[in-house]
Amino acid sequence: MDCPHAPLRRIASLSGPCLLVLLLAVGCEKSAATPEQIDLAQPAGWDADLAVPVAPDLDPDPDTVVIDLEAKVVQLEVKTGLTSELWTYNGQLPGPTIRAKKGDRLVVRFTNSLPEPTTIHWHGVRVPVEMDGMEPLIQPGETFEYSYVIRDAGTYWYHPHHRSSAQVGYGLYGALIVEDPSDPPLGDDVVLVLSDIGIEADGSLTPGDSDGWFGDYFGREGNTVLVNGRILPTLAARQDVPQRWRLVNAARSRYFKFALPGESTMVRIGGDGGLIDRPEPIETLQLSPGERAELQVMPKGTAGELTLMGLDANRFHLPVPDPPVPLMKLRIAEDAPGKGAKPLPETLRTIEPIDTTGARVQGIDLMEKPGPIGAVLGINGKTMDEAEPLHASINSVEIWEVTNSTPYDHPFHLHGFSFQVLDIDGEAPVRREWKDTVNVQPKQKIRIAIPFDDRPGHWMFHCHILDHAELGMMSVLEVK
Ligand code: C2O
Ligand code: CU
Ligand code: CU
């Protein structure tokens, strides 16, 4: 019944007539010609104002994706009328979206044309340790080939893991989308990379070490909020035609939180590591740095433009939250309403609970202590420089009890291995899902279960407020 080329529709983001032509051309007359299909088309040019170009696959093999990626400094106009010198992948902000499907080999032929060393970390992806972007440091002018098989579908992202706060802050990040061809139709795919950047009055970027210790300790938030590298872009939608939003928080320190404007509704369908077990209708979504979400958005209401406002996630737990900031415009097109989505399946994905019998338990306390200038941040009493590696055995399951003894939130992130949250202060989460980044509030205790497979090596774990990681809230796990 289903057109085998259906994913094309999601990837290509074509308008109605083009879509029909394409589907006819690839031989899906049956489903393509039905008025029902056409009636589910997005408005013409719906994502043209913000779509991030996809990195071209340079290999004809359908199961291998080869792309060229170059980190380089370019002049871009992010704020109208101002030229800024950004650090980019392939001259774009954000870097090109990399698209592959589950099981593909991804080969990234990387060149560092920056004035300093860098690496690329594949956030959330189960890579072999040599591909995790820790070492080698790629020196200016050098090349490196990242190559690995992608085992899991989901919304991932890539960014440097050397001086990451500064390098991410200057513009180095991009989305890595891994599709599962067997996904049910969930809506037309749009990637939304949320970030911020500091742009001064003359267009220059706020230095990565601005405000010294205060910047490190509180986490630097750029003065300009971006969606796909743009200020307040517009996404068009059509009443009752579902969209699948893939969101990445790529900011070095800023949290994002929003509700949909108007009558449109959203259902969370995916998290850090692909689809969640069951759809979760939500009113607001919060993403701490590093986290991702997939939403099925159902546009509703009369034609017109609404502004999606970013709400203060209040990571400092202040009595009065900051005022909202505009993120993106949602334009409900004049087009006649669509047919509505097929109801979401009750089960999006079967996710088995992790068997934790006999699991070793380790405590991970995110803490602070006095340092030479002001407080320093650390894990289990030690800053990154003082820490001894933690240990875990290959092919074992561990429970980590992550606590936060500071007065502010910290997003805890583990490299290389995804986990399931067992409970937060004793309460199990409402959905089962794979995560690699989880926000920990002051005094909370979050228990996570981590299955370690057979990938020995040294893996980082840290707070994903990148300024905090650099102030010491980072450590190493040796899996052997
Ligand atoms: Cu997304 Cu160690 O980072
Ligand atoms: Cu990571
Ligand atoms: Cu932190």
Side-chain angles (χ1 to χ4, degrees):
M1 269 304 280
D2 266 4
C3 166
H5 304 285
L8 276 178
R9 193 166 156 257
R10 283 184 280 126
I11 297 166
S13 45
L14 298 166
S15 57
C18 300
L19 169 66
L20 176 62
V21 169
L22 175 72
L23 291 179
L24 286 172
V26 294
C28 279
E29 294 84 348
K30 245 196 191 151
S31 48
T34 65
E36 193 190 2
Q37 283 278 325
I38 299 311
D39 212 16
L40 280 176
Q42 298 294 338
W46 65 291
D47 64 350
D49 192 38
L50 52 61
V52 179
V54 174
D57 177 5
L58 305 171
D59 188 318
D61 178 345
D63 302 325
T64 308
V65 172
V66 176
I67 68 155
D68 282 336
L69 208 60
E70 182 188 9
K72 57 177 174 184
V73 181
V74 297
Q75 314 265 348
L76 284 179
E77 187 180 300
V78 178
K79 258 190 181 161
T80 315
L82 289 180
T83 304
S84 303
E85 202 161 84
L86 270 81
W87 292 27
T88 67
Y89 292 114
N90 291 3
Q92 301 167 210
L93 181 72
T97 297
I98 302 173
R99 279 203 180 256
K101 60 181 191 326
K102 189 177 163 178
D104 281 356
R105 173 167 290 276
L106 174 64
V107 180
V108 177
R109 303 186 301 210
F110 177 62
T111 304
N112 179 12
S113 304
L114 298 173
E116 64 179 44
T118 192
T119 65
I120 306 180
H121 170 59
W122 308 93
H123 182 124
V125 186
R126 288 199 284 165
V127 295
V129 80
E130 320 79 68
M131 294 292 135
D132 197 43
M134 297 305 104
E135 43 191 23
L137 269 186
I138 302 148
Q139 299 297 327
E142 279 185 2
T143 59
F144 187 80
E145 187 171 286
Y146 291 96
S147 171
Y148 51 85
V149 172
I150 306 175
R151 297 157 61 172
D152 313 284
T155 300
Y156 304 102
W157 66 296
Y158 60 96
H159 64 80
H161 224 283
H162 173 68
R163 288 221 315 135
S164 17
S165 175
Q167 294 195 2
V168 168
Y170 293 155
L172 289 169
Y173 43 84
L176 165 57
I177 306 300
V178 185
E179 310 203 341
D180 184 340
S182 69
D183 276 0
L186 295 165
D188 291 284
D189 213 300
V190 59
V191 175
L192 300 170
V193 178
L194 310 176
S195 69
D196 63 18
I197 194 161
I199 300 181
E200 304 295 321
D202 62 354
S204 64
L205 295 191
T206 309
D209 59 356
S210 60
D211 302 322
W213 172 84
F214 286 93
D216 295 339
Y217 182 76
F218 293 104
R220 297 175 177 86
E221 297 188 5
N223 57 11
T224 307
V225 168
L226 302 173
V227 176
N228 289 353
R230 294 161 179 81
I231 299 171
L232 199 57
T234 302
L235 179 66
R238 191 170 156 211
Q239 262 192 71
D240 291 321
V241 177
Q243 299 188 349
R244 179 180 186 172
W245 291 11
R246 294 177 178 267
L247 296 137
V248 178
N249 183 351
R252 56 183 160 168
S253 294
R254 183 186 292 267
Y255 283 48
F256 284 90
K257 181 177 175 179
F258 64 83
L260 288 184
E263 296 151 46
S264 303
T265 58
M266 57 182 174
V267 178
R268 194 170 72 97
I269 54 174
D272 292 345
L275 295 180
I276 59 178
D277 64 343
R278 288 176 299 124
E280 181 189 10
I282 53 172
E283 295 289 327
T284 56
L285 178 76
Q286 177 176 316
L287 290 178
S288 62
E291 280 189 301
R292 286 89 66 211
E294 294 182 37
L295 303 176
Q296 187 187 65
V297 168
M298 189 56 83
K300 299 220 179 277
T302 43
E305 213 163 64
L306 296 161
T307 303
L308 195 151
M309 302 297 289
L311 310 171
D312 182 14
N314 204 356
R315 64 186 171 94
F316 297 114
H317 299 271
L318 299 172
V320 184
D322 283 344
V325 285
L327 291 181
M328 182 171 89
K329 287 188 180 156
L330 192 61
R331 195 179 69 234
I332 310 280
E334 307 267 354
D335 311 28
K339 288 249 157 113
K342 281 199 192 139
L344 284 167
E346 225 171 282
T347 302
L348 289 164
R349 176 181 179 192
T350 307
I351 301 177
E352 297 298 336
I354 297 164
D355 181 0
T356 54
T357 17
R360 174 157 161 251
V361 180
Q362 305 212 48
I364 304 286
D365 185 42
L366 309 174
M367 41 62 67
E368 62 182 3
K369 62 179 185 179
I373 309 170
V376 289
L377 300 173
I379 296 177
N380 292 349
K382 311 265 193 216
T383 63
M384 172 70 197
D385 296 336
E386 306 157 347
E388 295 284 333
L390 247 57
H391 293 275
S393 307
I394 54 165
N395 302 318
S396 76
V397 171
E398 292 206 349
I399 294 174
W400 286 15
E401 296 184 343
V402 188
T403 51
N404 175 1
S405 50
T406 78
Y408 316 121
D409 287 10
H410 300 282
F412 171 81
H413 169 56
L414 171 64
H415 283 210
F417 304 91
S418 292
F419 52 79
Q420 289 178 16
V421 172
L422 296 174
D423 47 61
I424 300 175
D425 289 335
E427 226 178 283
V430 293
R431 293 293 181 270
R432 189 171 295 143
E433 63 185 295
W434 289 105
K435 286 189 69 61
D436 51 64
T437 308
V438 64
N439 188 48
V440 194
Q441 292 181 13
K443 309 279 167 314
Q444 256 180 355
K445 183 203 257 188
I446 301 189
R447 292 195 322 134
I448 61 174
I450 318 163
F452 294 104
D453 55 18
D454 190 4
R455 281 173 302 131
H458 287 82
W459 302 91
M460 310 300 294
F461 56 96
H462 57 88
C463 173
H464 218 288
I465 291 175
L466 296 172
D467 293 303
H468 288 179
E470 278 160 44
L471 195 56
M473 201 176 269
M474 172 144 75
S475 194
V476 184
L477 169 73
E478 184 181 7
V479 178
K480 62 176 181 194

